[in-house]
Amino acid sequence: MPEGIVSPLPSQRALGDLVTDVLREMITTGRFQPGEHLKESQLADALQVSRGPIRQAFARLEEEGHVELRRHRGAFVSTLTKADIEEVHTLRGAIERLAASRACTRMRGEGFAEMDAVLEQMKKVHTTPDPEDAAQLDIRFHDIIYAYCGHSRVQRVWASIRGQVTVFLRARNASFPDFLDVGHVEHLELRNALALGDPQAAQDAIDKHISGAYERLKRLNLPDRDPAATENRPG
């Protein structure tokens, strides 16, 4: 059990939602490792809640792809596989192309000012950043595209895979620490393409932008699929 788990949770929000947020954050920031067993009783004691909110969180996190529920064994942090990367990349590509094509005609000055603020933070990075810090800067930039796309369903799909994309970006940054070379440059190129206000140019820029990270991720030594997933198959 990682040290420093939060103190008792407040009651003003649904405990299930709060517990989900806490566990998701711990998984996406690497506090829990891939394949690690998430013990229901220990988490309930640490967070000072009953097991009900823990079970609710496990179910939600399984839907998001962060957790695997194995019959008779419990919950485990999902293991990164080539199949995961391919599925999330193709889904992200589809929704982000749509989001960018809409956002580029809606952002105006305020949206680009938000992008420029993130770009300035990227530009100020002068030493190789922690993989998590680099991933968070990357995600914050792309959050802006979704925030201005004017499409609530696309935003909900992004919210459902955002944590997994963060995990993938962290793995990519850890194995290919080239943020100093490509972080600011590539996101500035995307920002300038969006500023053209041309939906096709925005889609083309997204295709180019996210394909680089995907190509690097494909070079990681990962299993095709999680062998443990077969435990959940019927009969």
Side-chain angles (χ1 to χ4, degrees), residues 77-126:
V77 178
S78 297
T79 299
L80 191 63
T81 70
K82 292 180 181 178
D84 295 328
I85 290 172
E86 193 273 337
E87 289 183 4
V88 173
H89 169 74
T90 52
L91 177 57
R92 180 192 176 188
I95 64 169
E96 195 149 329
R97 289 178 87 251
L98 175 58
S101 70
R102 294 170 59 89
C104 74
T105 63
R106 290 171 167 80
M107 288 179 62
R108 305 292 187 268
E110 181 180 353
F112 288 110
E114 292 177 30
M115 279 191 169
D116 290 340
V118 178
L119 285 167
E120 185 63 24
Q121 287 186 285
M122 291 179 175
K123 189 176 182 179
K124 289 180 179 178
V125 176
H126 296 301

Side-chain angles (χ1 to χ4, degrees), residues 132-170:
E132 175 65 22
D133 293 340
Q136 290 300 327
L137 278 173
D138 198 320
I139 287 291
R140 283 175 55 195
F141 182 94
H142 290 275
D143 281 342
I144 297 167
I145 297 175
Y146 289 99
Y148 283 89
C149 75
H151 197 306
S152 61
R153 287 170 174 78
V154 165
Q155 290 165 343
R156 286 199 293 272
V157 175
W158 170 240
S160 73
I161 66 169
R162 183 181 184 276
Q164 289 176 283
V165 173
T166 303
V167 171
F168 296 168
L169 288 174
R170 189 176 68 246

